[in-house]
Amino acid sequence: MTLLTETRQRDLPPRTAPTAPRTTRSTVPPLAPGAVPGLGHAAALLRDPLGFLGSLSRHGGVVRIRLGPRTVCVVTDAPLVHTLLVALAYNCPRGAVQDTLKTAFGDGLLMSEGQAHRDRRRIIQPAFGPDRMAEYVAVMHQVTEERARRWHPGQVLDVAKEMNHLALEIVTRSLFDARLSEDATLAFHQALPDLVKGQIVQSLYPHPALARLPLAVNRRFDAAVRVLNQVVDQAVRPTGTRSAERGGTLPALLRAATDPGTGRPLTEADVRSEAITMFGAGTETVSTTLTWLLDELLRHPEVEARVLAELDEHLPAGAAPTPEALARLTYTRSVTQEVVRLHAPNAFLMRTAQVPVDLGPYRIPAGTELLYSLTALHRDPDRYPDPLRFRPERWQSGGAGRHSFLPFGAGKHKCIGEAFAWAELTVAAAAILRRWRPVAVPGARAREVVWTTVQAHGLRVRLTPRGARVPRPDSPPDDRVGEGRARDDRAGEDRAGEDRAGEDRAGEDRAGEDRAAVEAPPAARCPVSIPASAPAAPQLPQRSGELRTAAARHAAWVVGRNLLTPPEMTRYGAYALHELIGHAFPRAHGADLDLLVDMLGWFTILDDRFDGPPGRRPVEARDVVDPLIDVLYRTGADRTGASAPVGAGPAPRSGDHVLRAWHDLWSRQAQGMSPNWRARAAREWQACLETFPAEAEHRAHGTVPALGLPETMRLRRHGSCLYPFMNILERVHGADAPAALHAEPALHRLRANTADAATLINDLYSLEREERQSAAAFNTVLTLQRIRGCTRSRAVGAVRSRVARLRRENDALRSDLRHRHPAGRWYLDGTRELIEGVQAWTSTSDRYLVTDGPRT
């Protein structure tokens, strides 16, 4: 019955006929009610854009509104909009909103008109031909799989942000065969809001000259344009492997083309203009649609189930998608169409009548600006019954007709990348849904934020592996930011404060760990394999050659410093320490990369030394550690940090090879860094090194079995050397993190959590090896077994649960700190990459591999 009603509705004539008989006096469009003197309808439009534009259809197919001194005609009837875009395209070129983007996009395909537009479209069309789609689909799948593998169970995902990054990477790698740096990616996404806001504000200026005034919105718009140009410069460099194949990439295609108007090759300015167009048009709208798609599937699990069933039938797990396979996903296509209908990315677009034109019965004078809203058209109840309801089945009977569904426009300016976008939506959704089941975070659903586009803000989901048990919807959220735990309000970077933050949590989370020890299922396999709460190891960045070279230099450094002999290097090389650094410090290159690998190798060799006699003999342990600490300061007299270290001083004339290598490492770390950084780094290296004699004391006096969880965590936190490696983030970046960020108690908590999470991951993977050691091991799993009396598998489950909680808390802390300290975003992201790097490496390295044999 519903389908019959929809069919009858489509057969009804439109409320305003698209073509009316010409008369000597055509009708003037009615003026919308509610205009305010001086402002017109501007306040109503800005206050509720979608509601205001959607309300105009009741007044006619074309309605006049006033925006200050300007009169704009809003076209509310879908067939009339189609007429505007197709039959009147030549006489009604793009309007004021799009004109503001010429500063950013130039005169490329998006902004050009007439013959220039037709010529450019013919040049670019081969890049979006059917013969290219199989290659694009493969890249889309690969990029999405790589990103989804970097997520981990329990992670709280900011969906809009992730989809923005995903869409940008897909465009960059498929059309340009390029990879943007992380800094360029972040800069691009940070610039987009200023570009969009500037676009709409400048389009409302009564005179174009106002766009040149040094107003804040104009300055931000100009800065955003500069950022976009810089990002595009990275992408259009002809370095990709496909650039010479079949015109390979879009820039290569453009560089090989000739401008029909001049007979000359296209200029680099032309290439950049088209590249900017593809970045701007191909990123935000697709990422927004993907965000809405996930939100709607969360609200309609029965739709998600049908999508997954169709994927199982036509795109089996492990099968690479092809255009032919995508064509068989008819229900999935209906779902994406319904998402695009209900959440049309473009809030409104504009055209300008260059000559008098007729729209239905209305006579539109020359110079009139014409505005239409895809969102309002797609939510028209006369075309789409029950328009605000998400109903994919409406598309299985044909929808409402091609003149009423215009997400990619119509006529000569119809989006050239329509097929690309539909494929991207389907491929990305399929790859994500096959691996992950998103679970809604209470109170964090998507909401509409309207500028010229309808953006999806606020959606946050907790990730559960597909097939795992989904938490009850009424379960209390676990991503609390430690209510009542922020007790350290000192402004300094204080080790004791961070210890207290972690120890408070160790005590306050005890009940939670007890519950986890009771509730967690026994581990299915040895913790040396990937634990249930761990993500799959992400792929290393495309820098394997650089990392192998760094590993070779490190091996030469180790042997040259007499830290190991050549025969010992075989087993040591299997640890693949350079891969840990590659995962954890993706932006480290050159000397910084060498420093990091050498630091980690040196610390690993030192740590192995304490598996021997010094680890059980406090005096020997102190004899090893004290000279190392002395290197951190001008003299050995002041280890409090009051006398800020300036370097390592002269190299020791005698002493073992570990000490001399450490002198080299500290000199390289401290070189060029600020006094504050050196003081902090020295304190934290001292805290790390002093854990070795402290552990030796416990072993010597037999106090390990009595050691409680807080003391174990304190030793493990500083003994892991995560604090010093967090400091190296600033060396890699080339500047200290903002002082205001370092003064934040929330950062102290974040750093402690980061060290704890990485340490606990290490404890899971090193467990079997440490169980076989003759000396008492400091391992949190073993501590929980002793003090809680629980089984090994339940202790493992408790540690996994703690890692997941620490990660969730860190996500919330980073979000809060990014908002208040945006200049320190790179540092906050670096703490996340550190944990991910430790997880990726420990799950693949031979460092903790245990061979069969008796326990020693």
Side-chain angles (χ1 to χ4, degrees):
M1 185 66 179
T2 303
L3 295 179
L4 289 175
T5 302
E6 291 179 6
T7 302
R8 286 197 299 270
Q9 179 63 55
R10 287 195 303 276
D11 291 338
L12 290 174
R15 293 163 306 191
T16 305
T19 56
R22 291 293 303 273
T23 61
T24 54
R25 295 187 61 186
S26 294
T27 304
V28 175
L31 179 68
V36 176
L39 294 176
H41 300 91
L45 178 63
L46 293 174
R47 182 172 58 249
D48 182 13
L50 299 184
F52 174 71
L53 293 173
S55 71
L56 297 178
S57 62
R58 68 173 68 105
H59 304 294
V62 181
V63 181
R64 287 180 297 137
I65 63 172
R66 290 191 177 132
L67 302 177
R70 296 158 57 189
T71 296
V72 175
C73 284
V74 181
V75 187
T76 68
D77 183 73
L80 291 184
V81 171
H82 191 270
T83 298
L84 174 66
L85 300 181
V86 180
L88 301 178
Y90 180 79
N91 291 326
C92 297
R94 292 181 171 93
V97 172
Q98 288 94 319
D99 284 346
T100 62
L101 290 183
K102 284 189 177 181
T103 304
F105 293 95
D107 291 320
L109 185 66
L110 185 66
M111 304 309 304
S112 59
E113 294 286 350
Q115 187 62 44
H117 177 269
R118 288 192 292 272
D119 290 342
R120 190 60 58 86
R121 190 178 182 98
R122 277 195 289 269
I123 291 172
I124 296 174
Q125 187 65 58
F128 294 95
D131 59 319
R132 294 290 181 91
M133 287 309 299
E135 182 181 4
Y136 292 157
V137 165
V139 175
M140 294 168 186
H141 178 70
Q142 180 182 0
V143 171
T144 310
E145 281 286 320
E146 288 174 2
R147 190 156 202 93
R149 277 197 297 265
R150 293 200 290 267
W151 304 337
H152 56 78
Q155 178 179 352
V156 175
L157 206 67
D158 182 332
V159 177
K161 174 186 172 183
E162 285 295 319
M163 296 305 102
N164 272 330
H165 284 261
L166 174 62
L168 179 62
E169 190 170 1
I170 286 175
V171 168
T172 305
R173 286 174 57 177
S174 57
L175 295 182
F176 298 89
D177 192 23
R179 291 177 185 264
L180 296 178
S181 68
E182 185 69 16
D183 288 344
T185 300
L186 290 174
F188 178 86
H189 292 303
Q190 290 168 355
L192 275 182
D194 289 332
L195 185 76
V196 173
K197 292 174 185 177
Q199 175 193 11
I200 189 171
V201 171
Q202 291 185 10
S203 70
L204 295 175
Y205 286 156
H207 194 281
L210 292 175
R212 296 192 292 273
L213 295 178
L215 304 175
V217 66
N218 293 340
R219 292 199 304 271
R220 288 193 294 268
F221 179 81
D222 292 341
V225 171
R226 288 194 295 272
V227 168
L228 292 183
N229 283 318
Q230 292 166 3
V231 171
V232 167
D233 283 343
Q234 277 194 29
V236 299
R237 294 169 188 152
T239 57
T241 57
R242 297 187 351 242
S243 59
E245 303 172 7
R246 298 183 291 105
T249 65
L250 180 62
L253 184 72
L254 293 167
R255 290 187 176 105
T258 300
D259 188 335
T262 64
R264 298 174 181 173
L266 298 185
T267 66
E268 282 302 303
D270 294 326
V271 174
R272 293 176 69 259
S273 178
E274 301 305 342
I276 292 175
T277 296
M278 297 306 160
F279 275 109
T283 299
E284 186 181 18
T285 54
V286 171
S287 66
T288 298
T289 303
L290 280 171
T291 303
W292 284 121
L293 173 60
L294 293 179
D295 186 73
E296 291 295 351
L297 294 180
L298 286 171
R299 298 175 190 273
H300 302 89
E302 73 286 355
V303 174
E304 180 189 43
R306 286 190 62 180
V307 169
L308 288 168
E310 187 174 69
L311 292 175
D312 288 340
E313 180 180 359
H314 298 295
L315 194 61
T322 63
E324 294 75 22
L326 298 184
R328 294 191 291 268
L329 301 175
T330 56
Y331 182 73
T332 303
R333 176 59 178 260
S334 295
V335 171
T336 56
Q337 284 181 294
E338 182 68 349
V339 171
V340 170
R341 179 200 68 81
L342 185 55
H343 304 289
N346 297 110
F348 58 87
L349 297 165
M350 297 183 75
R351 296 288 187 268
T352 301
Q354 290 189 327
V355 297
V357 296
D358 291 336
L359 271 175
Y362 305 115
R363 184 66 168 172
I364 308 299
T368 302
E369 291 175 296
L370 296 152
L371 180 150
Y372 62 97
S373 168
L374 291 180
T375 307
L377 294 175
H378 292 170
R379 296 179 182 180
D380 183 353
D382 288 346
R383 303 285 171 184
Y384 299 97
D386 201 3
L388 297 183
R389 185 179 173 193
F390 183 74
R391 295 177 56 238
E393 60 271 16
R394 74 172 85 234
W395 295 98
Q396 294 176 303
S397 61
R402 65 188 182 92
H403 290 183
S404 298
F405 186 59
L406 304 167
F408 295 95
K412 66 173 187 175
H413 287 295
K414 188 175 184 179
C415 177
I416 197 171
E418 178 179 6
F420 183 97
W422 285 122
E424 182 178 357
L425 291 172
T426 306
V427 170
I432 292 169
L433 293 173
R434 279 207 172 282
R435 183 179 292 269
W436 297 106
R437 183 196 302 273
V439 179
V441 172
R445 304 307 294 264
R447 66 183 188 278
E448 291 179 336
V449 176
V450 183
W451 289 96
T452 52
T453 57
V454 184
Q455 300 168 9
H457 284 200
L459 179 61
R460 294 168 66 237
V461 299
R462 182 167 289 115
L463 297 174
T464 301
R466 181 62 61 182
R469 182 178 64 86
V470 180
R472 296 189 306 274
D474 58 347
S475 298
D478 289 330
D479 56 338
R480 300 183 302 274
V481 189
E483 301 99 346
R485 298 182 204 166
R487 298 172 181 167
D488 177 20
D489 57 358
R490 293 192 314 274
E493 186 63 53
D494 188 310
R495 171 167 60 94
E498 291 176 342
D499 286 347
R500 280 202 298 275
E503 289 163 11
D504 287 346
R505 263 190 315 283
E508 294 174 12
D509 283 352
R510 184 171 300 164
E513 285 179 350
D514 286 339
R515 285 195 298 273
V518 172
E519 297 170 2
R525 51 187 176 174
C526 170
V528 172
S529 59
I530 299 177
S533 61
Q539 298 296 311
L540 276 173
Q542 296 300 311
R543 54 189 302 209
S544 56
E546 179 185 28
L547 291 174
R548 285 195 299 270
T549 302
R553 288 195 296 266
H554 172 65
W557 183 83
V558 169
V559 173
R561 291 280 175 180
N562 294 311
L563 295 172
L564 294 175
T565 63
E568 292 172 318
M569 290 299 295
T570 301
R571 181 168 182 266
Y572 174 79
Y575 296 167
L577 299 178
H578 62 286
E579 292 187 2
L580 192 161
I581 297 303
H583 285 297
F585 292 86
R587 284 170 293 281
H589 303 281
D592 288 334
L593 180 61
D594 288 343
L595 171 62
L596 283 161
V597 178
D598 290 348
M599 279 174 55
L600 183 61
W602 175 87
F603 187 81
T604 300
I605 294 167
L606 176 69
D607 186 60
D608 285 348
R609 173 181 286 199
F610 283 92
D611 288 341
R616 297 184 294 274
R617 300 171 184 170
V619 173
E620 287 187 28
R622 182 57 67 182
D623 286 344
V624 172
V625 166
D626 279 353
L628 300 175
I629 295 175
D630 288 345
V631 171
L632 298 168
Y633 302 95
R634 292 174 179 173
T635 69
D638 185 0
R639 299 178 180 178
T640 66
S643 175
V646 295
R653 294 178 179 274
S654 60
D656 68 14
H657 304 301
V658 170
L659 175 61
R660 295 181 66 84
W662 172 239
H663 179 275
D664 170 61
L665 288 174
W666 176 244
S667 297
R668 288 157 62 189
Q669 290 174 68
Q671 184 179 12
M673 300 305 290
S674 70
N676 285 339
W677 185 93
R678 292 195 297 268
R680 175 169 20 96
R683 288 198 308 271
E684 290 173 354
W685 267 118
Q686 180 183 344
C688 171
L689 296 170
E690 285 182 341
T691 62
F692 289 113
E695 290 178 357
E697 289 279 354
H698 284 296
R699 292 192 186 100
H701 295 93
T703 54
V704 177
L707 207 61
L709 182 61
E711 178 63 14
T712 298
M713 287 302 302
R714 189 192 71 79
L715 286 171
R716 300 292 293 121
R717 179 182 306 129
H718 292 290
S720 67
C721 81
L722 260 291
Y723 281 120
F725 273 87
M726 278 187 272
N727 289 328
I728 299 296
L729 289 169
E730 294 168 283
R731 178 171 191 87
V732 171
H733 184 73
D736 290 9
L741 176 61
H742 271 302
E744 284 275 5
L747 184 69
H748 301 170
R749 204 155 59 248
L750 175 68
R751 283 162 52 90
N753 285 359
T754 300
D756 286 353
T759 297
L760 293 173
I761 291 169
N762 182 281
D763 284 352
L764 287 170
Y765 285 95
S766 64
L767 175 60
E768 187 168 351
R769 191 186 77 163
E770 291 179 340
E771 285 175 322
R772 298 181 179 220
Q773 291 178 182
S774 57
F778 291 83
N779 185 294
T780 314
V781 176
L782 300 178
T783 300
L784 283 173
Q785 286 183 258
R786 289 195 305 268
I787 67 178
R788 301 285 165 40
C790 57
T791 65
R792 180 183 189 270
S793 62
R794 295 185 186 278
V796 167
V799 171
R800 287 172 172 164
S801 297
R802 174 181 270 271
V803 171
R805 286 200 301 278
L806 289 170
R807 280 174 156 163
R808 291 194 295 270
E809 184 175 336
N810 272 8
D811 285 340
L813 288 167
R814 285 192 199 95
S815 178
D816 173 61
L817 289 168
R818 282 193 198 105
H819 177 70
R820 293 186 289 112
H821 302 281
R825 182 189 185 100
W826 56 269
Y827 184 89
L828 300 170
D829 289 343
T831 62
R832 171 182 52 76
E833 292 165 348
L834 269 173
I835 296 177
E836 292 173 352
V838 169
Q839 176 66 70
W841 175 77
T842 50
S843 63
T844 57
S845 172
D846 288 348
R847 165 73 170 158
Y848 304 117
L849 186 64
V850 177
T851 57
D852 293 334
R855 294 176 185 252
T856 58

